[in-house]
Amino acid sequence: MNPENEIDKTEALEPVETAAANVAEARGGVDGRKLPKWLLPLIAVVCAVVLVVAGVVGWNMYRGAKLAEAKEACATAADGVRSQANEYNALLNGDAADAAAVKAEQVKDAKTVESLGKELKASAPEYEGCVAEDAKGLDAATVKLGEQADWYKTHEQSLSKAVRAVIESKAAKTLETAKTNLTAKLDEASRLLADSDGKVADNATRDALSNAIDAANGLKDGNDPAKIDGARKTVEDAINGVNASVQAKTDADAQAAAAAAQAQAQAQSAYNGGSSYSGGAYRRTEGSTSGSNTYRGTTSGGTGSGSTSGSGPAGGSAPKPNLNGSYGCGNSCTGKDDGYYHH
């Protein structure tokens, strides 16, 4: 083997870089100088610090974003509670308060009043709002506010239902009462219309009553209590008119009867005439009778003297006075202290 040839082959080979050489190069400077041993740990610490700072900043940014999100969600929930609470309170202080004044006897079903009373006793939740300072507290407040909003919504619906039930029950009672009153008034009017025939001073009042009855019969099966009650009022007014007319005729008839009785009494008195005795003379006059009997003088021993005119005998001894205006009383007549002769 030729040594020169081997040397040439050796020189011809390129140098091989090893890991140790790479490490050495990394530790060396650009000029081939070695780096200080403390540099690498420093670089590692700086990198760690950078990572920590980046993590803290990122976490704070995340936590800030979550806090803002929680605040927004809580504010939205609070608005929902206020909205539902306002609707509930408006109903509570409005229609519910009016319905609460309705008594059990004013409704057809008393249970509606009882149910409304229970609804009005419900205790509303206490509003707390979004007072937490962290996202966790705000999230909890949001949940609670949502529950409160649900309470107001649920109770607004149940209270509204109870109020509506009372109002409808009262309306049913009002309609029922109006129909009952009209029916009773129509019965009264029908009886009066039949009983008053020929007993009124003005028959137009009976015609008005008949028309009112017909109109009311057309409304009594309706569903408008105001119209039904109006018809009842019209019938009632017509009844009063007939009653007044009946009373007027009754009074007129009574006055006419009294006047007739007075006229009859006066005629009878004029027909019967009168009798009188004075100065020892007796005179009797009969209404329209033309004859008259007159006795004058005194009686003595049961006998008397005098004269008669009319149908009695002329001259001579006169009989005792005829108290009946036609015939003498004979020996049965006796004198009394009162100046009259009596049988």
Side-chain angles (χ1 to χ4, degrees):
M1 176 178 294
N2 189 351
E4 294 179 357
N5 292 337
E6 293 180 358
I7 293 172
D8 293 336
K9 292 178 180 179
T10 302
E11 291 177 354
L13 295 175
E14 294 181 359
V16 179
E17 295 181 356
T18 63
N22 291 334
V23 171
E25 183 179 356
R27 291 178 178 178
V30 293
D31 54 356
R33 292 179 298 176
K34 292 183 179 180
L35 296 175
K37 294 181 179 181
W38 52 264
L39 183 58
L40 288 177
L42 179 60
I43 294 174
V45 170
V46 170
C47 291
V49 170
V50 170
L51 290 175
V52 170
V53 171
V56 170
V57 172
W59 170 251
N60 288 336
M61 291 179 62
Y62 172 78
R63 187 175 64 177
K66 292 294 292 182
L67 181 62
E69 182 181 348
K71 287 182 178 180
E72 182 178 359
C74 189
T76 301
D79 290 339
V81 172
R82 284 192 291 269
S83 177
Q84 294 294 338
N86 288 338
E87 292 184 12
Y88 176 80
N89 290 328
L91 175 62
L92 185 66
N93 299 322
D95 292 342
D98 294 337
V102 177
K103 306 300 181 183
E105 58 271 16
Q106 294 178 283
V107 297
K108 190 172 183 179
D109 184 4
K111 290 183 179 179
T112 58
V113 175
E114 181 180 351
S115 297
L116 177 60
K118 291 180 179 179
E119 286 292 334
L120 293 174
K121 291 179 181 178
S123 299
E126 183 178 355
Y127 176 76
E128 296 181 357
C130 303
V131 295
E133 296 181 355
D134 56 1
K136 184 177 180 180
L138 291 171
D139 289 341
T142 299
V143 172
K144 189 171 184 179
L145 289 170
E147 293 173 350
Q148 292 179 347
D150 291 339
W151 187 95
Y152 280 112
K153 182 178 180 180
T154 300
H155 281 75
E156 189 272 336
Q157 293 174 348
S158 60
L159 180 59
S160 179
K161 182 179 179 181
V163 169
R164 186 166 56 252
V166 170
I167 293 174
E168 291 175 354
S169 186
K170 182 182 179 182
K173 178 70 172 182
T174 302
L175 179 61
E176 181 182 66
T177 301
K179 288 184 175 181
T180 300
N181 293 339
L182 178 58
T183 299
K185 193 60 65 176
L186 282 172
D187 292 341
E188 179 185 352
S190 298
R191 289 193 300 269
L192 178 61
L193 186 63
D195 295 342
S196 63
D197 189 13
K199 300 178 182 179
V200 293
D202 183 4
N203 201 58
T205 58
R206 296 184 71 253
D207 293 338
L209 179 59
S210 179
N211 293 335
I213 291 174
D214 292 340
N217 281 325
L219 292 172
K220 67 179 182 179
D221 295 326
N223 295 319
D224 190 338
K227 290 183 178 180
I228 293 175
D229 198 56
R232 178 199 59 77
K233 183 65 169 58
T234 301
V235 172
E236 186 175 14
D237 291 341
I239 288 175
N240 293 336
V242 171
N243 284 332
S245 188
V246 169
Q247 186 62 47
K249 183 172 179 10
T250 301
D251 294 342
D253 291 346
Q255 291 176 0
Q262 184 178 6
Q264 184 178 6
Q266 291 175 349
Q268 185 68 31
S269 177
Y271 176 80
N272 290 337
S275 301
S276 63
Y277 176 84
S278 63
Y282 174 83
R283 182 183 300 274
R284 178 177 178 83
T285 304
E286 289 286 353
S288 61
T289 303
S290 60
S292 63
N293 297 320
T294 304
Y295 176 80
R296 294 183 176 88
T298 60
T299 61
S300 175
T303 62
S305 61
S307 64
T308 62
S309 62
S311 59
S317 177
K320 293 182 179 180
N322 182 3
L323 299 180
N324 294 323
S326 299
Y327 301 100
C329 57
N331 294 325
S332 63
C333 293
T334 59
K336 295 293 184 180
D337 292 338
D338 56 5
Y340 292 92
Y341 283 90
H342 303 273
H343 286 284

